[in-house]
Amino acid sequence: MKPPLRPRLAPARYVTGPGAAAEPERPRAAWSAREKRALLAALRAQAALGLPDLQPRPLRERLPRRSEAEILSFLCRLRGRAAREAVRTQYRHCLEQQRQRRAQVPAPIEVWLELAETLAEGLEEATAAAFSQVLTVAATEPLSLLHSVPPHPAGTTAAPDQGGSAPGDPAAPPAPQPHAPGAFTVDFQRVYEYLARLCRGGKGPVLPPGESAVVLALLGSLPQELGVLDRAALHSHLRGAYGALTAPRHPQTDSPAPGMAPGVPPAPGTPATGWRGVGLCPLNLFLVPLRLLARAEPSG
């Protein structure tokens, strides 16, 4: 049998006229070392002039055998290669940092911070809001106002028709003392409001010199205050809390750890995780008794 008839078309190289195919692009010759040095010198010359954009025409003058399209295409390839190398180098640097962090023994404070984040289950915002509310209430406490310099009155006097207290009566609120201009002043209400805003994650207002000195004194006294605690009892409690919180638990059968309040019972078949599973409060994740945060009595 004869094969089916197929139309015969003339090769594209023989086609002439408007429909003729474009001449295939010749393969680009490799860049020689001499051309690369000439291109580098031209780029440095343009950089010295401080031109905002790349000018291909001066580059073309240094490279007569190359067209502007070839020069721009070669520069585009170089930029892509440099970007890939930079990303690869940064990635290797990040991996090396991660290996170093895994190899290093974490500091105790890092261990406790990681444990607190695990137990809080993303309740950092609620905890910060609670501390902010506590500090906001402390800003209006009469004792804080009385310790200010000069002290603020702790209340208002009774109405005239109900009979007020005499100026010398000890039950009457102290009147604000006269204050000389330029003297040292401390308003503890501003200090508590400043700390409350910081707990919220915002930026606190600019404090005057007196209140700034109080905040710096509080920060500087932390190491000294930690040194006067009952460290033996606090150390024993924290070791017990860490062992109880990191031990394997089965929420359906295990009972709460000693000294810990019972948590919300989980639903059948649902494992309890975080602070709900062990019955902790986000405001005091490690259930440190307040007596352990008081100064230890002097021995002898």
Side-chain angles (χ1 to χ4, degrees), residues 99-205:
R99 295 192 196 99
Q100 292 178 359
R101 282 195 296 266
R102 295 192 190 101
Q104 292 177 353
V105 178
I109 187 63
E110 296 176 347
V111 175
W112 285 101
L113 285 176
E114 183 179 358
L115 182 59
E117 291 176 356
T118 303
L119 293 174
E121 280 190 338
L123 293 178
E124 292 86 357
E125 296 183 0
T127 306
F131 277 111
S132 177
Q133 293 174 1
V134 171
L135 293 170
T136 303
V137 173
T140 59
E141 282 292 321
L143 191 60
S144 301
L145 301 178
L146 288 176
H147 283 81
S148 299
V149 180
H152 296 282
T156 57
T157 57
D161 55 345
Q162 296 179 358
S165 301
D169 192 350
Q177 300 177 359
H179 178 62
F184 185 79
T185 61
V186 175
D187 190 350
F188 281 99
Q189 184 174 6
R190 293 182 179 179
V191 174
Y192 283 116
E193 291 176 353
Y194 176 81
L195 297 177
R197 289 193 182 183
L198 291 184
C199 288
R200 283 282 192 175
K203 183 178 180 181

Side-chain angles (χ1 to χ4, degrees), residues 48-81:
L49 297 177
L51 300 177
D53 299 325
L54 183 65
Q55 304 295 329
R57 181 171 297 180
L59 302 179
R60 176 74 172 78
E61 296 175 357
R62 295 285 190 98
L63 301 167
R65 298 179 57 184
R66 298 288 179 177
S67 64
E68 294 184 5
E70 287 179 325
I71 295 174
L72 294 178
S73 177
F74 182 70
L75 291 177
C76 183
R77 293 200 306 271
L78 290 179
R79 288 172 179 171
R81 186 184 306 171

Side-chain angles (χ1 to χ4, degrees), residues 190-191 194-195 198 207 210-221:
R190 293 182 179 179
V191 174
Y194 176 81
L195 297 177
L198 291 184
L207 292 178
E211 288 76 4
S212 300
V214 171
V215 175
L216 289 177
L218 289 174
L219 295 176
S221 65

